[in-house]
Protein backbone atom coordinates (compact mmCIF):
# COMPACT_ATOMS: atom_id res chain seq x y z
CA UNK A 1 0.00 0.00 0.00
CA UNK A 2 2.87 2.37 0.78
CA UNK A 3 4.48 1.60 -2.58
CA UNK A 4 1.18 2.25 -4.38
CA UNK A 5 0.68 5.53 -2.52
CA UNK A 6 4.22 6.62 -3.31
CA UNK A 7 3.78 5.78 -7.00
CA UNK A 8 0.47 7.68 -7.17
CA UNK A 9 1.99 10.72 -5.48
CA UNK A 10 4.89 10.71 -7.91
CA UNK A 11 2.65 10.83 -10.99
CA UNK A 12 2.60 14.37 -12.46
CA UNK A 13 -0.71 16.18 -12.76
CA UNK A 14 -1.89 16.83 -16.34
CA UNK A 15 -0.67 20.16 -17.66
CA UNK A 16 -3.36 22.76 -18.50
CA UNK A 17 -4.24 23.12 -22.15
CA UNK A 18 -3.02 26.16 -24.02
CA UNK A 19 -5.69 28.44 -25.48
CA UNK A 20 -4.87 29.73 -28.94
CA UNK A 21 -6.18 32.18 -31.52
CA UNK A 22 -5.68 31.49 -35.21
CA UNK A 23 -6.92 32.22 -38.73
CA UNK A 24 -8.40 29.65 -41.09
CA UNK A 25 -8.68 30.34 -44.83
CA UNK A 26 -11.41 28.73 -46.91
CA UNK A 27 -9.45 29.76 -50.03
CA UNK A 28 -6.58 27.39 -49.30
CA UNK A 29 -6.41 24.07 -51.11
CA UNK A 30 -6.83 21.71 -49.39
CA UNK A 31 -8.69 23.38 -46.53
CA UNK A 32 -7.84 22.18 -43.02
CA UNK A 33 -11.17 23.12 -41.46
CA UNK A 34 -10.60 21.35 -38.16
CA UNK A 35 -11.25 23.01 -34.80
CA UNK A 36 -9.97 21.61 -31.50
CA UNK A 37 -12.51 21.88 -28.68
CA UNK A 38 -12.62 20.97 -24.99
CA UNK A 39 -15.17 20.68 -22.20
CA UNK A 40 -15.91 23.99 -20.48
CA UNK A 41 -13.88 26.10 -22.94
CA UNK A 42 -15.61 28.72 -25.07
CA UNK A 43 -14.79 28.64 -28.80
CA UNK A 44 -15.76 31.49 -31.16
CA UNK A 45 -15.63 31.32 -34.95
CA UNK A 46 -15.64 34.79 -36.55
CA UNK A 47 -16.44 35.11 -40.28
CA UNK A 48 -15.73 37.87 -42.80
CA UNK A 49 -19.08 37.16 -44.50
CA UNK A 50 -22.64 37.22 -43.16
CA UNK A 51 -24.12 33.85 -42.23
CA UNK A 52 -27.59 32.40 -42.60
CA UNK A 53 -28.15 31.71 -38.87
CA UNK A 54 -30.96 29.19 -39.40
CA UNK A 55 -28.72 27.10 -41.65
CA UNK A 56 -26.00 26.57 -39.03
CA UNK A 57 -26.11 22.91 -37.91
CA UNK A 58 -23.86 21.02 -35.53
CA UNK A 59 -23.93 17.35 -34.60
CA UNK A 60 -24.68 16.59 -30.96
CA UNK A 61 -26.05 20.04 -30.21
CA UNK A 62 -28.27 18.84 -27.36
CA UNK A 63 -25.97 16.17 -25.97
CA UNK A 64 -22.52 17.75 -26.30
CA UNK A 65 -22.96 21.51 -25.79
CA UNK A 66 -24.07 23.63 -22.84
CA UNK A 67 -24.01 26.76 -25.03
CA UNK A 68 -24.40 27.24 -28.78
CA UNK A 69 -25.05 30.76 -30.12
CA UNK A 70 -25.24 31.87 -33.76
CA UNK A 71 -25.11 35.53 -34.79
CA UNK A 72 -24.69 37.31 -38.12
CA UNK A 73 -20.94 36.74 -38.35
CA UNK A 74 -20.05 34.57 -35.35
CA UNK A 75 -20.68 31.07 -34.01
CA UNK A 76 -19.90 30.61 -30.31
CA UNK A 77 -20.17 27.37 -28.39
CA UNK A 78 -19.01 25.67 -25.20
CA UNK A 79 -18.91 21.84 -24.95
CA UNK A 80 -20.25 20.28 -21.78
CA UNK A 81 -18.38 17.00 -22.36
CA UNK A 82 -14.98 16.11 -23.76
CA UNK A 83 -15.02 14.33 -27.10
CA UNK A 84 -13.72 10.78 -27.23
CA UNK A 85 -10.35 10.29 -28.93
CA UNK A 86 -11.96 8.93 -32.10
CA UNK A 87 -15.06 11.16 -31.98
CA UNK A 88 -15.69 13.81 -34.65
CA UNK A 89 -18.55 16.33 -34.85
CA UNK A 90 -19.46 18.24 -38.03
CA UNK A 91 -20.38 21.93 -37.92
CA UNK A 92 -21.98 23.24 -41.14
CA UNK A 93 -22.57 26.92 -41.96
CA UNK A 94 -24.05 28.60 -45.05
CA UNK A 95 -23.37 32.15 -46.21
CA UNK A 96 -26.02 34.77 -46.98
CA UNK A 97 -24.54 36.35 -50.14
CA UNK A 98 -24.74 33.24 -52.35
CA UNK A 99 -21.12 33.60 -53.50
CA UNK A 100 -18.73 30.67 -53.60
CA UNK A 101 -18.08 28.86 -51.41
CA UNK A 102 -21.74 28.86 -50.35
CA UNK A 103 -21.10 26.72 -47.30
CA UNK A 104 -18.30 25.52 -45.08
CA UNK A 105 -17.99 22.34 -43.00
CA UNK A 106 -15.80 22.30 -39.90
CA UNK A 107 -14.67 19.16 -38.09
CA UNK A 108 -14.67 19.50 -34.30
CA UNK A 109 -11.87 17.44 -32.78
CA UNK A 110 -10.95 16.58 -29.19
CA UNK A 111 -8.27 19.00 -28.03
CA UNK A 112 -4.75 17.85 -27.31
CA UNK A 113 -2.34 20.34 -25.77
CA UNK A 114 -4.10 23.29 -27.45
CA UNK A 115 -7.72 24.44 -27.59
CA UNK A 116 -9.02 26.76 -30.31
CA UNK A 117 -10.56 29.64 -28.36
CA UNK A 118 -10.88 32.10 -31.27
CA UNK A 119 -10.80 31.20 -34.97
CA UNK A 120 -11.01 33.87 -37.68
CA UNK A 121 -12.47 32.32 -40.84
CA UNK A 122 -11.39 34.03 -44.07
CA UNK A 123 -13.61 33.47 -47.12
CA UNK A 124 -13.11 36.55 -49.31
CA UNK A 125 -9.99 37.04 -51.39
CA UNK A 126 -8.62 40.58 -51.33
CA UNK A 127 -5.96 41.59 -53.82
CA UNK A 128 -3.65 44.59 -53.56
CA UNK A 129 -6.00 46.83 -55.58
CA UNK A 130 -8.94 46.05 -53.28
CA UNK A 131 -6.85 46.69 -50.18
CA UNK A 132 -5.62 50.01 -51.58
CA UNK A 133 -9.21 51.06 -52.38
CA UNK A 134 -10.33 50.12 -48.87
CA UNK A 135 -7.44 52.11 -47.37
CA UNK A 136 -8.35 55.18 -49.44
CA UNK A 137 -11.98 54.97 -48.32
CA UNK A 138 -11.00 54.63 -44.67
CA UNK A 139 -8.63 57.61 -44.92
CA UNK A 140 -11.42 59.72 -46.47
CA UNK A 141 -13.83 58.71 -43.70
CA UNK A 142 -11.21 59.54 -41.06
CA UNK A 143 -10.56 62.97 -42.58
CA UNK A 144 -14.29 63.72 -42.69
CA UNK A 145 -14.71 62.62 -39.08
CA UNK A 146 -11.78 64.72 -37.94
CA UNK A 147 -13.21 67.72 -39.75
CA UNK A 148 -16.56 67.29 -38.02
CA UNK A 149 -15.24 66.56 -34.54
CA UNK A 150 -12.27 68.92 -34.40
CA UNK A 151 -10.20 68.16 -31.32
CA UNK A 152 -12.85 65.88 -29.84
CA UNK A 153 -14.22 66.27 -26.32
CA UNK A 154 -17.80 67.40 -25.57
CA UNK A 155 -17.77 70.06 -28.30
CA UNK A 156 -16.63 67.49 -30.83
CA UNK A 157 -19.50 65.19 -29.85
CA UNK A 158 -22.00 68.01 -30.35
CA UNK A 159 -20.52 69.02 -33.71
CA UNK A 160 -20.61 65.42 -34.91
CA UNK A 161 -24.33 65.19 -34.13
CA UNK A 162 -23.83 62.27 -31.75
CA UNK A 163 -24.82 64.29 -28.68
CA UNK A 164 -28.16 66.10 -28.76
CA UNK A 165 -31.00 67.16 -26.52
CA UNK A 166 -32.52 63.67 -26.54
CA UNK A 167 -29.72 61.99 -24.57
CA UNK A 168 -30.84 60.29 -21.35
CA UNK A 169 -28.85 58.58 -18.60
CA UNK A 170 -29.88 55.77 -16.28
CA UNK A 171 -28.03 54.22 -13.36
CA UNK A 172 -28.97 50.57 -12.89
CA UNK A 173 -28.21 47.92 -10.30
CA UNK A 174 -26.31 45.25 -12.18
CA UNK A 175 -26.53 41.70 -10.83
CA UNK A 176 -24.55 38.56 -11.57
CA UNK A 177 -26.69 35.38 -11.34
CA UNK A 178 -26.09 33.28 -8.20
CA UNK A 179 -23.65 30.45 -8.71
CA UNK A 180 -21.71 32.13 -11.50
CA UNK A 181 -18.15 30.83 -11.34
CA UNK A 182 -16.43 33.51 -13.41
CA UNK A 183 -14.56 34.99 -10.45
CA UNK A 184 -15.75 38.47 -11.47
CA UNK A 185 -17.84 41.08 -9.68
CA UNK A 186 -19.86 43.96 -11.16
CA UNK A 187 -19.38 47.18 -9.22
CA UNK A 188 -21.84 49.53 -10.98
CA UNK A 189 -23.63 50.24 -14.26
CA UNK A 190 -24.75 53.27 -16.26
CA UNK A 191 -26.75 53.42 -19.49
CA UNK A 192 -26.80 56.22 -22.10
CA UNK A 193 -29.56 56.40 -24.72
CA UNK A 194 -30.41 58.60 -27.69
CA UNK A 195 -32.57 58.10 -30.77
CA UNK A 196 -29.60 56.84 -32.79
CA UNK A 197 -27.31 55.02 -30.33
CA UNK A 198 -27.00 53.56 -26.84
CA UNK A 199 -24.00 52.78 -24.64
CA UNK A 200 -23.94 50.62 -21.53
CA UNK A 201 -21.01 50.93 -19.15
CA UNK A 202 -20.25 48.53 -16.31
CA UNK A 203 -17.39 48.58 -13.83
CA UNK A 204 -16.03 45.06 -13.37
CA UNK A 205 -13.64 43.75 -10.71
CA UNK A 206 -11.51 40.65 -11.24
CA UNK A 207 -11.37 38.96 -7.85
CA UNK A 208 -8.08 38.12 -6.15
CA UNK A 209 -6.75 34.67 -7.02
CA UNK A 210 -8.34 34.60 -10.49
CA UNK A 211 -6.66 34.55 -13.89
CA UNK A 212 -6.24 37.65 -16.04
CA UNK A 213 -9.54 38.60 -17.71
CA UNK A 214 -10.12 40.45 -20.98
CA UNK A 215 -13.58 40.52 -22.60
CA UNK A 216 -13.50 39.82 -26.33
CA UNK A 217 -17.20 39.29 -27.11
CA UNK A 218 -20.31 41.12 -25.87
CA UNK A 219 -23.93 40.05 -26.35
CA UNK A 220 -27.11 41.94 -25.44
CA UNK A 221 -30.58 40.40 -25.35
CA UNK A 222 -33.97 41.51 -24.08
CA UNK A 223 -36.01 39.62 -21.50
CA UNK A 224 -38.10 38.42 -24.46
CA UNK A 225 -35.03 36.78 -25.98
CA UNK A 226 -34.54 39.35 -28.77
CA UNK A 227 -30.89 39.73 -29.77
CA UNK A 228 -29.52 43.28 -30.00
CA UNK A 229 -26.71 43.98 -32.44
CA UNK A 230 -23.54 45.18 -30.70
CA UNK A 231 -21.52 47.74 -32.67
CA UNK A 232 -18.44 47.91 -30.46
CA UNK A 233 -16.90 46.65 -27.23
CA UNK A 234 -14.24 48.78 -25.52
CA UNK A 235 -12.40 48.74 -22.19
CA UNK A 236 -10.29 51.31 -20.39
CA UNK A 237 -7.59 48.67 -19.78
CA UNK A 238 -6.32 45.92 -22.10
CA UNK A 239 -6.99 43.33 -19.39
CA UNK A 240 -7.84 43.04 -15.70
CA UNK A 241 -5.22 41.48 -13.46
CA UNK A 242 -6.30 39.66 -10.26
CA UNK A 243 -7.80 42.22 -7.86
CA UNK A 244 -7.99 44.92 -10.57
CA UNK A 245 -11.06 46.94 -11.58
CA UNK A 246 -11.90 48.37 -15.00
CA UNK A 247 -14.63 49.93 -17.14
CA UNK A 248 -16.33 48.03 -19.97
CA UNK A 249 -18.31 49.97 -22.63
CA UNK A 250 -20.73 48.34 -25.09
CA UNK A 251 -22.29 50.37 -27.93
CA UNK A 252 -25.37 49.53 -30.00
CA UNK A 253 -27.25 51.27 -32.76
CA UNK A 254 -30.69 52.87 -32.51
CA UNK A 255 -32.70 51.28 -29.67
CA UNK A 256 -35.51 48.94 -30.72
CA UNK A 257 -36.66 48.18 -27.17
CA UNK A 258 -38.57 50.16 -24.56
CA UNK A 259 -36.62 52.42 -22.22
CA UNK A 260 -37.88 50.60 -19.11
CA UNK A 261 -37.17 47.15 -20.52
CA UNK A 262 -34.56 45.05 -18.72
CA UNK A 263 -31.67 43.61 -20.75
CA UNK A 264 -29.11 40.85 -20.27
CA UNK A 265 -25.47 41.67 -21.04
CA UNK A 266 -23.00 38.79 -21.49
CA UNK A 267 -19.26 39.46 -21.58
CA UNK A 268 -16.96 36.63 -22.68
CA UNK A 269 -13.22 36.24 -22.47
CA UNK A 270 -12.73 34.02 -25.54
CA UNK A 271 -9.11 33.33 -24.67
CA UNK A 272 -9.78 32.01 -21.15
CA UNK A 273 -13.40 30.88 -21.47
CA UNK A 274 -14.74 32.98 -18.58
CA UNK A 275 -18.27 34.32 -19.15
CA UNK A 276 -19.84 37.12 -17.13
CA UNK A 277 -23.66 37.39 -17.44
CA UNK A 278 -25.06 40.67 -16.10
CA UNK A 279 -28.77 41.09 -15.38
CA UNK A 280 -30.72 44.25 -14.69
CA UNK A 281 -29.21 46.34 -17.50
CA UNK A 282 -31.42 49.30 -18.41
CA UNK A 283 -30.91 51.70 -21.31
Amino acid sequence: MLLMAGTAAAQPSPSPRQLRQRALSLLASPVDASVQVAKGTLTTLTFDSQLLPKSVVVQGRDTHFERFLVEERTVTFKPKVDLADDERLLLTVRFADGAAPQEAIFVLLPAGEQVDAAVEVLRRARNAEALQLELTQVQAQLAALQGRCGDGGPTGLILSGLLGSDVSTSVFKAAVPPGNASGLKVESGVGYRTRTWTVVTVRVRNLVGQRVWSPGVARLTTARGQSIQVKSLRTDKPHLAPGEEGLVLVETGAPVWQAEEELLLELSDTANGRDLPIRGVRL
Side-chain angles (χ1 to χ4, degrees), residues 25 91 102 127 169 205 231 233:
S25 175
L91 168 64
Q102 296 185 1
N127 54 29
T169 305
R205 177 176 293 276
K231 294 183 65 176
L233 166 63

Side-chain angles (χ1 to χ4, degrees), residues 4 45 87-88 111-112 121 123 135 200 221 231 259:
M4 292 176 62
L45 276 61
E87 191 173 9
R88 303 291 185 268
V121 182
R123 174 173 172 257
L135 175 60
V200 55
T221 53
K231 294 183 65 176

Side-chain angles (χ1 to χ4, degrees), residues 169-172 174 186-192 198-204 234 246-251 265 267 278 281-283:
T169 305
S170 58
V171 179
F172 57 86
V186 180
E187 301 291 344
S188 60
V190 181
Y192 303 87
T198 69
V199 173
V200 55
T201 69
V202 288
R203 189 161 292 278
V204 179
R234 299 184 62 182
L247 191 66
V248 180
L249 305 92
V250 177
E251 178 188 356
L265 173 62
L267 301 172
I278 303 173
V281 176
R282 295 187 183 276
L283 294 172

Side-chain angles (χ1 to χ4, degrees), residues 154-171:
T155 56
L157 281 173
I158 295 173
L159 289 173
S160 68
L162 295 176
L163 187 63
S165 60
D166 63 326
V167 64
S168 60
T169 305
S170 58
V171 179

Side-chain angles (χ1 to χ4, degrees), residues 149-283:
C149 297
D151 295 330
T155 56
L157 281 173
I158 295 173
L159 289 173
S160 68
L162 295 176
L163 187 63
S165 60
D166 63 326
V167 64
S168 60
T169 305
S170 58
V171 179
F172 57 86
K173 185 177 181 181
V176 178
N180 180 262
S182 64
L184 299 161
K185 180 181 179 182
V186 180
E187 301 291 344
S188 60
V190 181
Y192 303 87
R193 176 186 177 117
T194 72
R195 290 190 299 269
T196 58
W197 57 265
T198 69
V199 173
V200 55
T201 69
V202 288
R203 189 161 292 278
V204 179
R205 177 176 293 276
N206 190 15
L207 300 182
V208 176
Q210 300 295 325
R211 292 174 295 173
V212 171
W213 185 74
S214 177
V217 177
R219 289 177 291 272
L220 265 174
T221 53
T222 68
R224 296 174 282 110
Q226 179 185 7
S227 179
I228 299 169
Q229 185 177 6
V230 173
K231 294 183 65 176
S232 70
L233 166 63
R234 299 184 62 182
T235 58
D236 64 342
K237 299 176 182 177
H239 58 260
L240 294 183
E244 193 173 22
E245 179 182 307
L247 191 66
V248 180
L249 305 92
V250 177
E251 178 188 356
T252 79
V256 293
W257 61 93
Q258 300 299 320
E260 66 276 4
E261 194 167 0
E262 185 175 300
L263 308 179
L264 169 66
L265 173 62
E266 295 177 275
L267 301 172
S268 298
D269 182 343
T270 54
N272 293 310
R274 294 166 63 191
D275 300 337
L276 177 63
I278 303 173
R279 295 174 177 172
V281 176
R282 295 187 183 276
L283 294 172

